């Protein structure tokens, strides 16, 4: 008799500290009780998160495997062997939804190759919550991840995004490393057309959440937004 | 003394029937108790949904305004007047997140013009849950809404999507009216390159949820997926 394969669960994390009770749903608490092995970015944070979501879990019986930048994942031994043997496996991101602007998609790809069931959970995403609340086009949009840092490349990229946005009525979404947010904001103000809409979503789901959409010419007249070192999402529509 | 303006809340709906308890979070129940006026696609469905989420609401005191295809929204009287007078306003979509592949963004845009706070809630989205679970690129993706129906235009569009996808390593996401899903699947199988990945997410969050990623050449060898009249999301990566 062939043993059933395990399931790969994609577990969202909170975006803002101490919002577990308000932004997460009951399903997550339930599914966490069924998982033996987790792929996570930071093991200590993941342990703390799981304990917060479900205090009944015996956390010392769970195996955590790092998929951080410098870790070496052995996909055969760490993932394939246990999941085809029937272990349920979870992926948790440091913030928001796993596999969206976050690592994990290579593990999911292998799961599909092995015909393993992949189950995503509902959770917060600063990208999608900013888009919802932007008032910009949610019928046609692109997420680019990070834009180039080099000034000339950045300028070319922004001009290209404005062109595509105008041609396709398409919202252009991107992010930046939080300590470079102010720099990016200033570059956008300088490089974009006055009539282009810019939405900034900062501290999404947090107490200081603000999601604001203005034309570039309007942003120029306002005090600079306080987004230095604050996780933020940017959306352009030309 | 100036009266405070109201807040515009964006309230997610469930995707699958009777999943309120598992996929929605506590915040939604709480915020629903603070809203006087709702913009909705279908008033009867919205009333039923609110009663399911929060039984303590006196639903007869709430004003519902239709933003369906054939309704005429008077943005000044229906929205601006009450919200600047301090009423809290909500937008609920028929399924999933408001303003994403769904109406409502024009109301949100006006809210930004009036400097009214816009607060999005966490909820299910078949688009984003399929993307998370696809194993395809979640660092760079475009959502296109519907593709053209005309066969020649569709073929050109698919070729264009494959080209962009390959060039930018960008996932291409789209949807179809459920009764045309099978037709679209068959066209994709015929028109796409054998090496292109196609992910189909069907009945997301439902009991029969299945999210499956295969190369076109692999789909060709499998039984046709059962997606006729089943809400589905399609993702290509070339």
């Amino acid at each position: 008799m062939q043993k059933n394969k395990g399931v790969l669960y994609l577990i969202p994390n909170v975006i803002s500290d101490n919002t577990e009770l308000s932004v997460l749903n009951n399903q997550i608490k339930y599914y966490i009780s069924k998982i033996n092995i987790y792929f996570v970015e930071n093991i200590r944070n993941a342990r703390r998160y799981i304990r917060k979501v479900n205090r009944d879990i015996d956390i010392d019986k769970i195996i955590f495997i790092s998929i951080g930048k410098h870790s070496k994942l052995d996909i055969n031994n760490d993932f394939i062997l246990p999941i085809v043997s029937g272990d349920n496996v979870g992926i948790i991101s440091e913030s928001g939804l796993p596999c969206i602007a976050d690592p994990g998609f290579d593990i999911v790809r292998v799961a599909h190759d092995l015909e393993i069931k992949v189950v995503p959970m509902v959770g917060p995403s600063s990208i999608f919550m900013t888009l919802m609340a932007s008032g910009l086009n949610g019928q046609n949009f692109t997420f680019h991840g990070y834009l180039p840092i080099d000034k000339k490349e950045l300028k070319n990229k922004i001009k290209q995004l404005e062109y595509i946005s105008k041609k396709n009525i398409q919202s252009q979404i991107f992010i930046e490393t939080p300590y470079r947010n102010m720099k990016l904001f200033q570059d956008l103000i300088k490089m974009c057309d006055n009539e282009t809409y810019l939405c900034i979503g900062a501290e999404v789901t947090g107490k200081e959440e603000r999601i604001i959409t203005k034309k570039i010419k309007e942003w120029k007249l306002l005090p600079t937004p306080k987004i230095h070192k604050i996780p933020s999402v940017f959306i352009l529509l030309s």
Side-chain angles (χ1 to χ4, degrees), chain A:
Chain A
M1 206 179 101
Q2 211 197 337
K3 210 184 158 190
N4 284 333
K5 291 172 190 168
V7 172
L8 177 59
Y9 293 101
L10 307 178
I11 315 282
N13 204 327
V14 295
I15 304 174
S16 281
D17 287 342
N18 302 315
T19 54
E20 286 82 2
L21 277 177
S22 54
V23 307
L24 300 180
N25 60 47
N26 296 322
Q27 212 174 26
I28 296 176
K29 185 176 174 181
Y30 169 72
Y31 280 116
I32 276 183
S33 70
K34 302 174 76 168
I35 298 171
N36 320 67
I37 299 173
Y38 281 99
F39 291 93
V40 302
E41 290 178 68
N42 176 302
I43 293 174
R44 216 165 127 242
N45 294 348
R47 290 173 71 100
R48 196 184 305 130
Y49 173 66
I50 290 170
R51 265 194 299 253
K52 270 202 171 180
V53 175
N54 192 335
R55 276 198 284 176
D56 305 329
I57 299 285
D58 183 355
I59 205 130
D60 295 323
K61 287 192 176 157
I62 294 175
I63 297 166
F64 288 92
I65 297 161
S66 170
I67 51 168
K69 274 178 192 160
H70 305 293
S71 57
K72 280 176 194 158
L73 173 64
D74 177 349
I75 203 113
N76 277 303
N77 281 305
D78 295 340
F79 177 66
I80 297 178
L81 201 62
I83 204 161
V84 298
S85 312
D87 282 310
N88 291 321
V89 171
I91 303 178
I92 306 179
S93 111
E94 277 294 281
S95 168
L97 305 179
C99 309
I100 295 188
D102 259 326
F105 87 97
D106 46 343
I107 297 168
V108 179
R109 179 81 66 88
V110 173
H112 285 289
D113 290 344
L114 299 169
E115 306 208 326
I116 280 160
K117 196 174 176 186
V118 181
V119 176
M121 316 265 114
V122 177
S125 156
S126 56
I127 298 164
F128 303 134
M129 293 174 78
T130 300
L131 180 61
M132 276 169 83
S134 67
L136 304 179
N137 195 359
Q139 328 292 313
N140 191 348
F141 54 83
T142 292
F143 174 70
H144 297 273
Y146 298 89
L147 300 191
I149 296 171
D150 175 80
K151 197 141 187 158
K152 203 178 154 188
E153 282 176 49
L154 177 66
K155 194 168 180 175
N156 287 338
K157 187 75 187 178
I158 289 172
K159 286 296 152 200
Q160 188 196 351
L161 298 190
E162 284 190 308
Y163 174 78
I164 299 167
S165 178
K166 200 160 198 164
K167 194 177 150 210
N168 301 335
I169 319 171
Q170 186 177 77
S171 301
Q172 307 293 322
I173 313 169
F174 42 92
I175 49 176
E176 183 50 288
T177 314
Y179 76 88
R180 271 203 291 258
N181 276 343
M182 288 303 296
K183 180 85 181 62
L184 179 60
F185 173 78
Q186 281 148 2
D187 286 336
L188 289 169
I189 292 302
K190 263 183 239 156
M191 295 172 182
C192 288
D193 189 275
N194 266 328
E195 296 299 319
T196 293
Y197 284 99
L198 168 63
C199 174
I200 301 178
E203 288 183 73
V204 173
T205 74
K207 276 185 193 159
E208 301 291 320
E209 174 181 280
R210 49 209 183 276
I211 302 171
I212 295 167
T213 300
K214 300 272 174 207
K215 286 186 173 183
I216 292 293
K217 66 181 177 189
E218 294 165 333
W219 279 113
K220 282 179 178 170
L221 302 174
L222 292 170
T224 311
K226 290 182 179 155
I227 53 173
H228 183 57
K229 292 192 180 171
I230 304 288
S232 303
V233 173
F234 300 84
I235 310 181
L236 287 183
L237 184 72
S238 283

